[in-house]
Amino acid sequence: MRRTDGILDRIDWLTVALYGLLVLAGLLNIYAAIYDIDNPAPFFSFGHNAGKQMVFIAIALIIAISILAVDYKVYDTISYPLWALFILLLVVVLFVAREVNGARSWIELGSFRFQPSEFTKFATALAIAKYISRPSFKITRLKDAAILILLIGIPALLIIVQGDMGTALVFSVFILVLYREGMSPIPLILGISAAVIFLLALLVQNHLYFWLPVAGIAGLVLFFNRKSVRRMVLILIAGILVIGMFESVGYAFDNFLKPHQQNRILVLLNPNADPLGAGWNVTQSKIAIGSGGLSGKGYLNGTQTKFDFVPEQSTDFIFCTIGEEQGWIGSMILIVLFTALLLRVTQLAERQKWRFARVYGYSVATILFFHFTVNIGMTIGLFPVIGIPLPFFSYGGSSLISFTILLFILIALDANRMQRLAH
Amino acid sequence: MNQSRSYIIQGIFVLVGVLFAIRLFSLQVMDESYKAAADNNIIQEEIEYPFRGLIYDRNGELLVANKPMFDLMVVPSQVTIKDTARFCDLLSIAKNEFDDKLLKARKYSLVKASPFLKQLSLEDLATMEDYLDEYPGFILQPRTTRSYTYSILANALGYISEISPQEIDRDSANYYHSGDYIGKSGIESEYELYLRGQRGKKFKIRNVRGVEKGEFKGGQYDTLAVPGLSVTSTIDRELQLYAEKLMKGKAGSIVALEPSTGEVLAIVSAPSYDPSLLTGKKFSENFKEISQDTLKPLFNRPLMAAYRPGSIFKIVQSLVALQEGVITADTRLKCNTSLIGCHNGASHPFGTSEKLVGAIKNSCNPYFYQVMRKMVVQNADESPYLDAKIGLDKWNGYVRKFGFGSPLGIDLPGEKGGMIPNSAYYDRAYQGREWKYSNIYSIAIGEGENLVVPIQMANFAATVANRGYYFTPHLIKSIGDSGKPLPRYTEKNYTGVDSAYFEIAVEAMSQVVKSGTGQYRAKLKDIEVCGKTGTVQNDPNPDHSVFIAFAPRNNPKIAVSVYVENAGQGARAGAAISGLLIEKYIKRDSAQLYFEPYVLKGDFE
């Protein structure tokens, strides 16, 4: 390996290219989302979101170049202090932030506003990478597991307290990173099972339809394990837990979720129940996307997005603009670009020999994956409406800059992976 | 092991991508309903209501016009009312009414206009128009309602009102929308297709707040409203006004026809109502009141009231018997009151043997008892029962050719056919028991089972005036500028009776007025009126007074039937009103109208 190669020769240009395409497509679609047929604004203007997004892109580029320029070892060094700093900011934000859409997430300094919770994602990613890369780390050890839970749980809890459930849910995706690093798949399976039971409990009207299959499966398993008393006891306990959880979902749903959260879940299960009220967002979003057809209505020709039927068009529902104006073909291009980026980032992570870099790489991949899945999933009625942006695409400085930092730290680490080996 | 977990994770990434691809394919490519939903979101259909065709009388005088009216529409999403109480005052509605109406509009659509208050008149508008611009979300939609130059002809003209859900269901052409007006009765209903015109449509694009954003596809789907065709009625407004005046305070009907065309010159159903009551926002209230009136003003008597014809039917009997050859004009038959009662007097003592004209002139019941027997009992079969059946059915065939026994086909809805009995009818009525002439003889003099409607009586008078044929009576002589009625009204309907026999009937009817039962009140100076009285038994109530007539005898201009319920002898109310109408129509302003005070007084006993 030529050690004299410059950084530009070593970075993964494929990732950078995918990033660039997504940012550019995002910008064009933000312009389409804010475009007013009666009064078209020029593309280059700072009076609208697309113009502002250009400024954010410029800032993001400067930050990206800076990230590549500084010594890659600094990320390892600053990971804990950075995490602590953002925890501090998350606490501060609770006291200084105004409530916007039911959440206190923004710190405002004059005309400058930013959302610490966006940046806490990569800070947490760095912190757990740092912790897992300790030579003595063993995931099966209680102390190590507990510290990981704290590193992930504290920011998540603080963000829940802010009232931003969507962003907090992103932290659950670290479970995939831990799985890659050797954690037993049981928590993952239990988590998915719990989600399935939760949905079934809300969907199944007659509880007998749940009880009978569960009893049937338990009975079969008991039959095949009838020689071991210990296993039979375990199976019975498991069965009772499943039924117990199923039966308590109703109570939990009514008492632990806010009304708007309940609505979002109910709307997902039955979108036609209240199309003008709680179901409005999803109904309109599906109409906009569905009316795009195979090849779309053409750039700037979308009617549903132009006439404001879709809410939050340039941020959380930006995908509607593509769906409506570019149709299935355009949507597929976006999905292929994103999936390619996710796979590429996973491959970058996998080729790291330094555990810190690998764990961080997986964090990047899974955070992007979570945003991509939930954001597009909600616009097409597969997930409840959770207000999180589409990475690189949605309008918003905090989101664009934090995702840029998240990705470019990985690109920087990857570019220097051979140096690390040389140590 | 961890390497394989990397593949699992990458597998999950790809799986989600594939899932999205499939979901999007079904949403965007397979399911067409989202395109419709998107159009429904942005396209607002604005209706331009066409101008409904006007109705003129035969001399070009306006009978029915349009007057402007407004529906107050609301777009709930745009509504911001600071002071609801003041707004309610302005519209003169109660607060809870306001809430109900707004809620109903919201339920229909937040962004589409729906009616809030309907049928506001210009006067209603005067108080609120200046303030409406302070209330966003409320728009005035111009409509029209009917207005009437004279309060006449209510049942013949009919009325329009909002279409019912059932009518929308029946509309196979899918022309009508909820909220449209449609002709519900009379000419308005019968000529709906011509009068209504063609609705215009404009497709506007609007955003989520209902704000207009221009024309949809440059207006290429927009259409202009096409006004409805105006129609010219056969009605003579002056004669109609006079006829209604004469029938004031009475129950019954008048029909006046022009024999040479079948055009209805006047048609009165008494009692009637003021047609302007069934327009505007008080429609429902007024309609309820009118439809519950015990005098049944909505019952269109000239077309719907089936009465026994009484003695006017003797003319029919004469013509049928002459054509069948069972009598001649010279046949004398004795006034044998042991057969059936008769109104004998100085001119027609007991036991006289009149010829046909004399029998008609004196309305001799026994004469026509015997004529009908000759008609029915022709010895076509050995059995007297079977013989009666054959004879009766032959008779029935003749009578039906005069337009009796089934609707004539006038251009108004609800026409009844009356009833001319045949053998099948009596078989049913006698439930298998035998019957013969002696059981059914009262039909001989227009009593018994015979039922006719006044329009048929007038049509019969016109048939005699024409000496053997008639044009189906109709009320519209020209649709639009065509100058022509519907084609079925220009065809002659022949009775199958020789015109020579009609001359005998004409002579007899002339005698009736000159010196018979109808003399005195129907007789006119300078005009030879031909008529026939009828006094229809109506036990235990007073008899109905019936008169049919036409005039002048040669080249007749008008044929009438007058039916006044419970007014006694045909020679009184019926004859007097017929005379007045004929004189008024023929002489116009120089008519002397001698019996007008007698008729207006209305005391015929």
Side-chain angles (χ1 to χ4, degrees):
Chain A
M1 193 53 63
R2 291 173 298 162
R3 293 189 48 194
T4 50
D5 283 352
I7 182 83
L8 291 181
D9 296 319
R10 286 179 273 125
I11 60 175
D12 185 57
W13 283 106
L14 177 57
T15 311
V16 175
L18 289 169
Y19 165 82
L21 283 174
L22 287 171
V23 169
L24 199 64
L27 178 64
L28 290 174
N29 280 289
I30 291 167
Y31 182 68
I34 56 98
Y35 187 78
D36 181 354
I37 327 184
D38 291 346
N39 189 14
F43 191 86
F44 295 99
S45 151
F46 298 133
H48 53 67
N49 283 358
K52 290 183 199 159
Q53 183 79 351
M54 275 188 270
V55 177
F56 298 144
I57 291 172
I59 296 172
L61 282 182
I62 293 167
I63 292 175
I65 291 166
S66 314
I67 287 172
L68 295 176
V70 301
D71 184 359
Y72 71 95
K73 290 191 281 297
V74 73
Y75 305 115
D76 177 53
T77 316
I78 63 164
S79 52
Y80 290 149
L82 203 63
W83 182 85
L85 171 69
F86 279 105
I87 294 298
L88 185 68
L89 284 173
L90 286 179
V91 175
V92 170
V93 89
L94 288 177
F95 295 99
V96 301
R98 274 189 306 122
E99 189 165 308
V100 178
N101 293 335
R104 299 169 181 279
S105 321
W106 294 87
I107 287 186
E108 292 177 65
L109 294 169
S111 63
F112 176 74
R113 316 185 324 149
F114 88 116
Q115 213 177 344
S117 52
E118 284 295 333
F119 295 89
T120 313
K121 288 175 216 164
F122 81 80
T124 305
L126 284 174
I128 63 168
K130 171 91 176 174
Y131 191 79
I132 291 175
S133 63
R134 285 155 56 111
S136 63
F137 176 81
K138 261 183 93 101
I139 200 160
T140 47
R141 210 165 63 191
L142 190 63
K143 186 192 153 210
D144 284 348
I147 285 177
L148 278 182
I149 287 171
L150 286 179
L151 285 175
I152 299 166
I154 289 172
L157 268 177
L158 284 169
I159 294 170
I160 290 175
V161 175
Q162 285 179 9
D164 186 359
M165 192 56 145
T167 306
L169 278 174
V170 176
F171 289 79
S172 66
V173 85
F174 284 117
I175 205 164
L176 275 177
V177 180
L178 301 184
Y179 167 69
R180 166 62 185 83
E181 291 307 318
M183 186 188 76
S184 153
I186 287 172
L188 200 60
I189 294 167
L190 284 183
I192 292 170
S193 310
V196 170
I197 292 173
F198 181 80
L199 286 182
L200 281 178
L202 294 175
L203 268 178
V204 177
Q205 300 289 331
N206 187 342
H207 285 198
L208 264 186
Y209 290 128
F210 185 80
W211 278 70
L212 290 179
V214 169
I217 292 167
L220 269 179
V221 181
L222 276 176
F223 178 77
F224 287 114
N225 292 286
R226 60 188 181 278
K227 300 217 168 108
S228 159
V229 175
R230 188 172 151 268
R231 280 190 191 176
M232 287 174 75
V233 171
L234 274 176
I235 291 161
L236 276 177
I237 291 173
I240 289 165
L241 279 176
V242 166
I243 300 283
M245 179 177 168
F246 179 79
E247 291 300 329
S248 55
V249 161
Y251 178 82
F253 184 80
D254 291 344
N255 292 281
F256 298 144
L257 290 180
K258 293 181 183 172
H260 74 271
Q261 291 166 340
Q262 294 177 6
N263 278 338
R264 285 170 179 181
I265 292 168
L266 291 178
V267 161
L268 183 75
L269 298 177
N270 181 10
N272 300 325
D274 186 12
L276 296 179
W280 173 266
N281 290 4
V282 177
T283 309
Q284 294 303 330
S285 159
K286 279 160 74 181
I287 289 175
I289 295 168
S291 66
L294 183 66
S295 53
K297 298 176 187 172
Y299 187 60
L300 302 184
N301 287 332
T303 54
Q304 305 304 297
T305 42
K306 294 295 160 290
F307 298 137
D308 304 341
F309 284 90
V310 181
E312 308 288 341
Q313 301 169 38
S314 50
T315 55
D316 294 348
F317 283 89
I318 186 74
F319 183 68
C320 295
T321 312
I322 299 186
E324 187 181 16
E325 296 188 345
Q326 313 301 334
W328 188 70
I329 294 171
S331 307
M332 281 319 297
I333 292 173
L334 179 76
I335 283 165
V336 167
L337 281 180
F338 251 107
T339 311
L341 180 67
L342 294 176
L343 294 179
R344 184 64 191 163
V345 168
T346 314
Q347 284 159 12
L348 292 190
E350 206 52 52
R351 78 182 183 192
Q352 305 303 315
K353 300 292 184 284
W354 185 20
R355 203 176 191 188
F356 172 80
R358 188 179 72 210
V359 173
Y360 181 76
Y362 266 97
S363 298
V364 175
T366 54
I367 288 171
L368 292 178
F369 168 70
F370 186 88
H371 275 263
F372 167 71
T373 307
V374 171
N375 179 281
I376 293 184
M378 77 177 178
T379 62
I380 55 181
L382 291 177
F383 278 96
V385 175
I386 293 170
I388 58 173
L390 188 58
F392 314 123
F393 220 85
S394 289
Y395 167 75
S398 289
S399 138
L400 176 66
I401 291 167
S402 73
F403 280 119
T404 303
I405 295 172
L406 184 75
L407 185 66
F408 275 84
I409 289 178
L410 176 67
I411 294 174
L413 291 174
D414 176 65
N416 293 294
R417 66 189 188 279
M418 295 306 174
Q419 273 89 335
R420 178 73 197 173
L421 267 187
H423 281 282
Chain B
M1 178 189 84
N2 289 353
Q3 188 63 36
S4 73
R5 288 190 172 187
S6 166
Y7 295 135
I8 290 175
I9 289 171
Q10 293 185 50
I12 294 174
F13 293 171
V14 172
L15 190 72
V16 167
V18 171
L19 195 71
F20 282 173
I22 294 169
R23 170 71 169 180
L24 283 165
F25 192 78
S26 85
L27 216 62
Q28 297 182 296
V29 184
M30 306 299 287
D31 193 339
E32 289 290 313
S33 70
Y34 291 102
K35 288 186 183 63
D39 283 346
N40 187 41
N41 264 343
I42 58 155
I43 299 173
Q44 182 161 34
E45 213 181 283
E46 277 183 11
I47 295 175
E48 195 189 339
Y49 288 100
F51 197 72
R52 195 172 172 88
L54 306 178
I55 306 178
Y56 296 95
D57 93 332
R58 64 189 295 112
N59 301 312
E61 305 269 1
L62 194 58
L63 292 174
V64 183
N66 294 317
K67 79 176 172 203
M69 173 190 87
F70 298 86
D71 284 350
L72 184 62
M73 310 293 282
V74 65
V75 180
S77 68
Q78 296 178 3
V79 172
T80 48
I81 297 185
K82 290 186 202 88
D83 187 350
T84 312
R86 184 164 163 265
F87 187 67
C88 290
D89 275 356
L90 197 61
L91 304 181
S92 28
I93 54 170
K95 173 77 170 65
N96 59 347
E97 201 180 339
F98 170 86
D99 293 338
D100 288 352
K101 284 175 187 293
L102 201 57
L103 188 70
K104 202 175 148 203
R106 265 179 208 286
K107 275 190 185 152
Y108 169 68
S109 167
L110 273 178
V111 294
K112 288 186 188 174
S114 56
F116 188 78
L117 274 184
K118 287 182 184 174
Q119 309 209 18
L120 300 169
S121 65
L122 277 173
E123 297 82 64
D124 295 327
L125 216 58
T127 54
M128 62 177 80
E129 201 176 13
D130 293 340
Y131 301 98
L132 268 182
D133 58 351
E134 297 169 24
Y135 299 96
F138 288 91
I139 320 152
L140 287 171
Q141 161 87 60
R143 307 283 303 257
T144 56
T145 185
R146 288 307 218 184
S147 76
Y148 301 89
T149 43
Y150 290 88
S151 169
I152 52 170
L153 267 177
N155 276 301
L157 295 172
Y159 60 93
I160 60 169
S161 78
E162 211 167 285
I163 191 164
S164 68
Q166 294 86 336
E167 284 168 319
I168 291 180
D169 288 345
R170 279 201 300 271
D171 174 27
S172 54
N174 280 327
Y175 173 81
Y176 294 98
H177 298 325
S178 164
D180 280 353
Y181 290 100
I182 185 172
K184 295 272 187 173
S185 71
I187 292 169
E188 299 279 17
S189 156
E190 200 77 9
Y191 289 90
E192 167 72 14
L193 277 178
Y194 304 98
L195 291 169
R196 73 182 184 195
Q198 182 74 40
R199 197 178 21 231
K201 274 186 194 168
K202 285 195 174 127
F203 296 95
K204 296 283 175 64
I205 294 187
R206 60 183 167 73
N207 71 6
V208 69
R209 288 168 293 280
V211 176
E212 206 174 292
K213 290 283 182 181
E215 295 168 319
F216 177 65
K217 300 247 163 117
Q220 59 170 306
Y221 299 113
D222 294 1
T223 53
L224 286 173
V226 180
L229 294 174
S230 291
V231 295
T232 303
S233 160
T234 60
I235 295 290
D236 183 306
R237 192 185 67 189
E238 228 173 293
L239 186 67
Q240 178 73 29
L241 263 170
Y242 189 61
E244 296 211 8
K245 180 177 161 191
L246 294 180
M247 286 302 282
K248 196 139 281 171
K250 306 168 184 69
S253 64
I254 290 175
V255 179
L257 300 174
E258 184 177 72
S260 60
T261 56
E263 291 173 3
V264 177
L265 300 171
I267 184 163
V268 180
S269 178
S272 185
Y273 61 93
D274 178 356
S276 62
L277 288 176
L278 297 187
T279 63
K281 68 177 173 197
K282 291 215 162 163
F283 174 86
S284 309
E285 205 177 303
N286 290 337
F287 186 80
K288 197 172 165 213
E289 197 172 311
I290 292 170
S291 61
Q292 290 176 352
D293 190 328
T294 52
L295 294 172
K296 295 192 184 165
L298 286 175
F299 182 63
N300 195 9
R301 286 174 164 78
L303 268 53
M304 296 175 169
Y307 302 103
R308 278 174 289 166
S311 298
I312 61 167
F313 207 66
K314 287 168 185 164
I315 310 288
V316 183
Q317 299 291 49
S318 309
L319 289 164
V320 171
L322 286 168
Q323 180 68 29
E324 180 65 9
V326 294
I327 59 166
T328 66
D330 297 327
T331 303
R332 283 182 188 274
L333 294 167
K334 197 177 168 207
C335 179
N336 179 356
T337 50
S338 65
L339 297 173
I340 189 165
C342 197
H343 14 232
N344 301 104
S347 66
H348 184 66
F350 284 110
T352 46
S353 282
E354 300 269 18
K355 286 190 185 174
L356 179 60
V357 169
I360 293 174
K361 183 172 120 182
N362 293 300
S363 204
C364 178
N365 289 339
Y367 187 96
F368 285 96
Y369 175 97
Q370 296 168 79
V371 169
M372 186 67 176
R373 185 167 60 195
K374 287 175 183 291
M375 184 72 215
V376 173
V377 184
Q378 293 196 46
N379 297 318
D381 196 280
E382 283 172 22
S383 152
Y385 307 112
L386 208 53
D387 188 38
K389 279 185 194 183
I390 294 166
L392 181 72
D393 287 342
K394 193 180 264 180
W395 168 83
N396 181 281
Y398 278 110
V399 176
R400 295 185 70 90
K401 292 275 277 181
F402 284 87
F404 293 112
S406 53
L408 287 168
I410 192 173
D411 47 359
L412 287 179
E415 186 191 6
K416 295 281 182 291
M419 145 96 172
I420 300 299
N422 59 9
S423 62
Y425 170 81
Y426 286 115
D427 284 345
R428 267 200 312 280
Y430 281 82
Q431 297 179 333
R433 282 172 288 125
E434 300 281 20
W435 55 269
K436 52 185 181 169
Y437 180 64
S438 57
N439 302 101
I440 63 170
Y441 66 87
S442 53
I443 60 175
I445 57 164
E447 300 284 348
E449 289 78 8
N450 287 317
L451 289 174
V452 303
V453 289
I455 185 80
Q456 291 171 335
M457 300 184 212
N459 186 55
F460 175 66
T463 308
V464 179
N466 289 338
R467 276 74 167 170
Y469 63 87
Y470 66 89
F471 291 95
T472 305
H474 52 280
L475 274 111
I476 297 300
K477 60 188 291 182
S478 170
I479 299 167
D481 297 328
S482 70
K484 284 185 202 138
L486 294 174
R488 66 176 191 265
Y489 298 123
T490 54
E491 287 163 16
K492 280 182 185 176
N493 301 284
Y494 285 93
T495 56
V497 174
D498 290 350
S499 61
Y501 299 132
F502 275 96
E503 288 298 348
I504 299 168
V506 169
E507 171 60 24
M509 285 172 75
S510 168
Q511 293 280 336
V512 167
V513 176
K514 267 185 202 144
S515 55
T517 52
Q519 68 172 312
Y520 182 43
R521 292 195 185 87
K523 200 183 318 187
L524 296 171
K525 207 174 141 191
D526 307 333
I527 302 172
E528 187 174 356
V529 177
C530 304
K532 179 71 191 88
T533 53
T535 307
V536 180
Q537 296 157 17
N538 187 34
D539 292 333
N541 297 313
D543 294 343
H544 299 318
S545 172
V546 191
F547 200 82
I548 61 170
F550 64 88
R553 173 172 177 164
N554 294 313
N555 197 13
K557 294 274 177 275
I558 179 170
V560 298
S561 80
V562 176
Y563 210 115
V564 188
E565 292 176 12
N566 310 119
Q569 292 180 16
R572 291 177 181 162
I577 292 172
S578 300
L580 288 169
L581 288 173
I582 289 168
E583 191 187 12
K584 178 82 181 173
Y585 182 68
I586 293 177
K587 292 203 169 172
R588 295 280 158 178
D589 293 342
S590 60
Q592 293 180 339
L593 308 175
Y594 182 77
F595 281 102
E596 188 182 297
Y598 167 77
V599 169
L600 292 181
K601 193 177 167 216
D603 180 12
F604 303 112
E605 290 303 312

